[in-house]
Amino acid sequence: MTAGPTREAIDPVRFVSNRSSGKMGYAVAAAALAAGHEVCLVTGPVALAPPPGAEVVRVTTAADMLAAVRKRVRACDLLVMAAAVADWRPRHPARRKLKKSAGPPRIDWEPTPDILKTIAPLKKKTQTFCGFAAETHDLARAARRKLREKNLDAIAANDVSRPDRGFAVDRNALTIYFAAGRARRVALAPKAECAARLLRALEEICARKKK
Ligand code: C5P
């Protein structure tokens, strides 16, 4: 499991990140533990206590998260990437604090590594990979494109434009798109319930792959 945001340094005291609270990813980790799975939770900085029983790996940047996932992915049956990885990072973070008196800095940005795309070649036939797609518009199209481009078995798409679901709140609604072409809706519910339903769908894929 990955969860939470990543932080990308601008200088020693400033960073760029996003509004991910980690709640959805932590809920999936808790659901997996409750179902009797061994769970490794690779987490960005969040204000949540990890579910008891998970192996917890704390990371800060997208590069850290990639290294942590790469190291552990061979050992897992199921990878769920719920982390909201920052898309861009300053190409040259300043070594010393930027002075406010110098005015707003011009920052040269570069993309962070795409973790799922980078590890896709390591995926074994018996493994199931699931991503998340947080979108404000064109949810279905974007989710299906990511499913294809990131070589996933499933992607859980959620609308982050509405205040009653998605980032930072306790409820969510998901549409799970499967590589096989089907989709399954999980109606607005506490994240724990969304997580349990997502996990069940992913367990079905895992079971088919192991046959
Ligand atoms: O491309 P986008 O960020 O919308 O894709 C979302 C999915 O891809 C999530 O599962 C997220 O954890 C994963 N991701 C990634 N590496 C990135 C950005 C996103 O693995 N650099």
Side-chain angles (χ1 to χ4, degrees):
M1 260 322 299
T2 69
T6 69
R7 285 181 185 171
E8 311 299 330
I10 293 172
D11 72 8
V13 301
R14 302 181 179 93
F15 58 80
V16 61
S17 189
N18 58 63
R19 290 179 52 212
S20 169
S21 64
K23 285 181 179 173
M24 192 63 230
Y26 276 49
V28 180
L33 286 160
H37 300 284
E38 269 177 54
V39 174
C40 173
L41 176 60
V42 176
T43 175
V46 297
L48 299 173
E55 181 201 348
V56 179
V57 180
R58 293 179 203 278
V59 298
T60 303
T61 65
D64 296 341
M65 188 171 278
L66 171 60
V69 171
R70 209 204 291 262
K71 199 165 149 190
R72 290 163 181 86
V73 70
R74 276 190 189 81
C76 75
D77 297 310
L78 171 63
L79 169 70
V80 184
M81 282 277 315
V85 184
D87 290 315
W88 306 287
R89 63 187 175 196
R91 192 181 296 276
H92 304 292
R95 263 186 243 127
R96 302 170 70 188
K97 184 182 170 189
L98 299 171
K99 288 289 181 203
K100 189 160 61 174
S101 54
R106 285 191 185 279
I107 297 176
D108 182 16
W109 298 93
E110 66 179 4
T112 56
D114 190 298
I115 298 170
L116 283 171
K117 281 190 188 166
T118 309
I119 61 169
L122 304 177
K123 185 173 162 187
K124 294 182 273 189
K125 282 207 179 82
T126 51
Q127 288 181 312
T128 301
F129 285 8
C130 174
F132 267 74
E135 307 289 343
T136 56
H137 57 283
D138 275 348
L139 194 64
R141 193 144 46 108
R144 289 218 184 270
R145 178 175 49 77
K146 288 173 191 185
L147 181 69
R148 213 174 39 246
E149 287 178 358
K150 296 181 190 244
N151 189 27
L152 301 171
D153 300 281
I155 192 159
N158 62 305
D159 184 342
V160 289
S161 70
R162 298 166 64 162
D164 63 343
R165 63 194 68 184
F167 277 147
V169 295
D170 290 324
R171 290 158 78 84
N172 211 354
L174 302 174
T175 308
I176 311 167
Y177 297 91
F178 299 96
R182 292 172 301 123
R184 193 183 293 183
R185 277 188 205 286
V186 178
L188 188 64
K191 283 184 175 172
E193 196 176 318
C194 294
R197 282 171 191 256
L198 173 63
L199 184 73
R200 248 173 274 141
L202 299 175
E203 283 175 337
E204 287 168 21
I205 304 176
C206 290
R208 276 201 298 277
K209 288 196 175 211
K210 297 247 153 150
K211 262 188 200 155

